[in-house]
Amino acid sequence: MKTTLPKVNNIQKSWYLIDAEGVILGRLASKIATILMGKTKPIYSTNIDVGDFLIVVNAEKVAFTGNKLSDKKYYKHSGYLGGLKEKNLENMLLKHPEDVIYRAVKGMLPKNRMGRKMLKKLKVYRGDTHPHSAQKPIAINVARGKYE
């Protein structure tokens, strides 16, 4: 038997829709990262991006366990002395709920060019609507743990 490697021209990329309402953030991010990397496909390869596109809706309705709303902090630095800024999770959910999911998934992807390319296939939206209806995404129920 010979091992067949996937060709870049022959890879079929699908679109999936995930509703984040009531799903715990870490579990959601790990499922998203798995699909973005292409690990759910039989043609998975580490050196070729075989992952699919993902649309996440209801980003503001993600669930958290424990005291994360008040205790979890997000940091950014301006590059100047004393330029460290921090926000807690509660403020981030009010102003930028898309960024919470985006950052959680980014931490689970490879830290190289391939990871940045995979992250561009993730589309996160605050409400129920999204502008990608022409791609006819397949709905995935992550709350029950069923995905392809």
Side-chain angles (χ1 to χ4, degrees):
M1 293 179 58
K2 291 187 177 183
T3 303
T4 59
L5 296 175
K7 303 269 191 273
V8 178
N9 301 336
N10 298 338
I11 298 171
Q12 298 290 330
K13 304 233 181 197
S14 303
W15 284 75
Y16 293 104
L17 175 69
I18 295 178
D19 188 4
E21 184 174 358
V23 182
I24 297 172
L25 178 65
R27 294 173 188 265
L28 175 69
S30 64
K31 304 282 187 191
I32 290 172
T34 303
I35 295 171
L36 285 177
M37 285 189 271
K39 287 192 168 186
T40 57
K41 293 183 171 185
I43 61 167
Y44 172 70
S45 178
T46 56
N47 63 331
I48 298 174
D49 184 16
V50 296
D52 296 318
F53 288 87
L54 272 170
I55 304 164
V56 180
V57 294
N58 289 326
E60 77 279 359
K61 296 179 183 174
V62 161
F64 300 96
T65 57
N67 297 326
K68 288 188 184 75
L69 283 175
S70 59
D71 295 347
K72 185 168 177 59
K73 306 273 189 226
Y74 289 97
Y75 299 98
K76 72 177 186 178
H77 200 283
S78 67
Y80 291 99
L81 290 173
L84 182 65
K85 297 180 183 181
E86 71 175 38
K87 288 185 182 179
N88 63 357
L89 180 59
E90 194 171 13
N91 292 338
M92 284 287 284
L93 275 179
L94 292 175
K95 295 181 181 176
H96 308 288
E98 307 91 3
D99 200 32
V100 173
I101 295 176
Y102 185 81
R103 285 185 182 206
V105 173
K106 183 179 179 181
M108 296 183 184
L109 291 176
K111 278 66 173 179
N112 54 22
R113 281 182 279 181
M114 186 73 71
R116 290 187 294 273
K117 186 177 175 185
M118 290 174 189
L119 199 58
K120 289 180 184 177
K121 296 184 295 184
L122 175 65
K123 316 294 183 193
V124 183
Y125 298 101
R126 185 178 298 231
D128 287 338
T129 60
H130 60 87
H132 305 287
S133 58
Q135 281 74 26
K136 299 178 184 167
I138 302 164
I140 298 176
N141 190 357
V142 178
R144 293 194 172 174
K146 296 188 177 183
Y147 66 100
E148 295 179 7

